[in-house]
Structures are given as C-alpha cells and as structure tokens.
Amino acid sequence: MKSSSKILIAIIAVVILAGTAFLIVRHHGHRPRAQPPHAAGAYLVKNQFAYAGYATPEAALESMLWAYLNGDYDMVMSSVGPKDQADLKKQFGGNPKRFQSQMRRASTQFKGAQILARKNLSADKVELKFQMVATGGPGGRVSTNCMIQPLVKIGN
C-alpha cells in the first residue's frame, strides 16, 4: 500500500475510530447546505460524498467523511469529541492548512465507502460498521478496510 493511502487510512482510523463522532455538531463558521443523504447501505464513490447534515447516524458519517475528503478542518474538528480534537491538533500542529493539504493529497487514494450495518446501543448511541476502499501499492492494488464507528446524538 502506498504511503499516501496508509496516511489516509491512518488519519481516518485514528480520528474516527478512536473516538466518538457527534450527530449534532457545534460548527463555527459557514456550514454548507445539507444535501439529502444517500440510501443506507449504498456504496458511494469519492465524488458522491456530500454534506448530508447530522439528522441520522448515516448522514453524520457521510458528512464526516465528506469533510475529511475535502480537508475541511473546522467541520472535522466539530464532528469529533474533545480527545480526538486534541489528537488532531497535536498531529497537525493546530494548522488547518497543513491538515487540508495532507488530506487532499491522501484522499487521492480513497475510492469509496459503504455502510454495512447499524447497531443501536441506546436511544442516543449507535455504531455503524462500514468499509472504505482505497488504492495503493504495486499496480494500484485495492485495499478494503472494515471499521466500526460509534456515534452519539447530542441535542435534538
């Protein structure tokens, strides 16, 4: 696997998987208008991801991945918990431009993702199992990584 592919997967794994994403975020600044979320379970290629809002866990995960793929530091920061925010700040020296540059470079290896399952843990906690597909390595080898993302509903 190429180093940029490893970087993308590592960043997403560390930030998304190590902590809990928030369905409702406190985003400072301009937030794009939410697009209708894609059907649950649909495989989305990179250019199909959109900001889908945070009304459902599936929409929240799509919005978070969209923010990563677009290098939107503020949106990513507002989508993760305090521990993950601190980890991101440490990893990128609190420099949004550095984050944006590295994510855009690494995202060239990202091909798509699909939510495979949803597990409701309580009224405000959900886990989504999803897979990400990236290319890298000799001959553009495709790698698939399955992950489980916990999400917590905040507010309405």
Side-chain angles (χ1 to χ4, degrees):
M1 193 181 301
K2 277 183 153 177
S3 65
S4 61
S5 180
K6 287 180 183 176
I7 291 170
L8 172 68
I9 291 169
I11 290 170
I12 291 175
V14 166
V15 176
I16 293 179
L17 300 176
T20 302
F22 294 103
L23 292 175
I24 305 298
V25 296
R26 295 170 298 275
H27 182 68
H28 305 290
H30 179 70
R31 186 182 332 184
R33 173 179 253 180
Q35 302 298 311
H38 289 89
Y43 177 80
L44 303 179
V45 296
K46 182 168 70 173
N47 66 354
Q48 289 178 305
F49 280 87
Y51 173 74
Y54 294 90
T56 67
E58 294 81 5
L61 184 62
E62 181 177 347
S63 295
M64 190 181 340
L65 288 173
W66 171 85
Y68 275 101
L69 292 169
N70 286 285
D72 190 326
Y73 182 83
D74 291 333
M75 185 75 72
V76 169
M77 292 296 280
S78 66
S79 297
V80 299
K83 181 191 177 308
D84 297 319
Q85 288 176 2
D87 291 346
L88 272 174
K89 286 177 183 176
K90 183 178 177 183
Q91 183 174 358
F92 296 99
N95 186 336
K97 296 267 188 223
R98 185 172 162 209
F99 172 83
Q100 181 181 49
S101 173
Q102 192 166 350
M103 285 309 301
R104 287 208 171 140
R105 197 170 38 253
S107 73
T108 61
Q109 303 300 312
F110 181 87
K111 297 302 172 199
Q114 178 180 21
I115 296 172
L116 303 173
R118 174 180 172 158
K119 182 179 182 181
N120 295 319
L121 302 174
S122 68
D124 62 349
K125 293 180 183 178
V126 172
E127 288 181 348
L128 294 179
K129 180 179 181 180
F130 71 103
Q131 70 177 0
M132 289 193 322
V133 178
T135 59
R141 193 182 96 208
V142 175
S143 65
T144 303
N145 297 293
C146 286
M147 299 169 217
I148 295 176
Q149 173 61 55
L151 295 111
V152 175
K153 182 177 181 180
I154 304 295
N156 295 326

